[in-house]
Amino acid sequence: MELKLRRTKALEVIRLVGLTGFEQKYPSQLSGGMNQRLAIARALALDPDILLMDEPFGSLDEQTRFLMGLELLRIWEATRKTILFVTHSIAEAIQLSDRVLVMSMRPSVVREEVPITLRRPRTIETLTTEECKEIEHHIWDILKVESLKGLAAADGKA
């Protein structure tokens, strides 16, 4: 890819992730949320079919994590890229997903696929509805069963 085309693509994804004006900054000069946007921009610059995100917001505080989720949803709306998002946060999974795959204890397999039928855009109001609470409780119930299996297995090995 020629330099001019790469620069154009880079500026396009910088704009998409909301980092216009920070093109000349080093990562150490950016906030945690901005660094996460930068990581997303790097991945999108390669124009992948699937974006794999493994706990990308795990080091962020709860407010920034929620706001980054909104940003990711905005970016998804613009690109319609498939995103495989790994998280231990049930609230984050519900906020971002069309479906949640709940994993079992080791060896991990998909224990259950939970469809997320909440309307979009997902707002604070959406995430505090009774429907959302029911989905969250259902996922917790699955995880509780898996956790008890893990504890029983650990007791058997002691």
Side-chain angles (χ1 to χ4, degrees), residues 4-86:
K4 186 175 180 179
L5 184 58
R6 285 190 303 220
R7 181 163 177 73
T8 300
K9 181 66 175 176
L11 291 173
E12 177 185 310
V13 295
I14 285 170
R15 180 189 48 74
L16 177 66
V17 301
L19 288 177
T20 302
F22 295 91
E23 298 88 350
Q24 301 302 316
K25 301 292 183 187
Y26 289 99
S28 63
Q29 296 173 301
L30 303 176
S31 69
M34 293 170 93
N35 270 299
Q36 292 304 323
R37 291 173 194 233
L38 179 58
I40 294 168
R42 281 187 196 118
L44 290 173
L46 299 172
D47 196 27
D49 292 330
I50 299 173
L51 195 58
L52 174 58
M53 303 182 81
D54 188 2
E55 294 277 356
F57 307 147
S59 65
L60 303 176
D61 63 81
E62 197 65 25
Q63 180 181 352
T64 304
R65 191 177 191 141
F66 177 77
L67 294 173
M68 284 304 303
L70 293 179
E71 279 297 295
L72 183 60
L73 289 172
R74 183 187 60 75
I75 292 165
W76 172 79
E77 282 286 337
T79 64
R80 292 299 180 157
K81 296 285 185 185
T82 297
I83 301 173
L84 178 59
F85 194 96
V86 177

Side-chain angles (χ1 to χ4, degrees), residues 4 6 11 18 27 44-45 49-51 72 80 83 88 98 105 107 112-113 120-121 126 131 133 137 139 144:
K4 186 175 180 179
R6 285 190 303 220
L11 291 173
L44 290 173
D49 292 330
I50 299 173
L51 195 58
L72 183 60
R80 292 299 180 157
I83 301 173
H88 286 89
D98 292 322
M105 296 298 288
E112 187 172 327
E113 180 179 330
R120 290 187 183 274
T126 308
E131 180 184 7
K133 290 177 188 173
H137 285 282
I139 293 172
K144 182 172 68 177

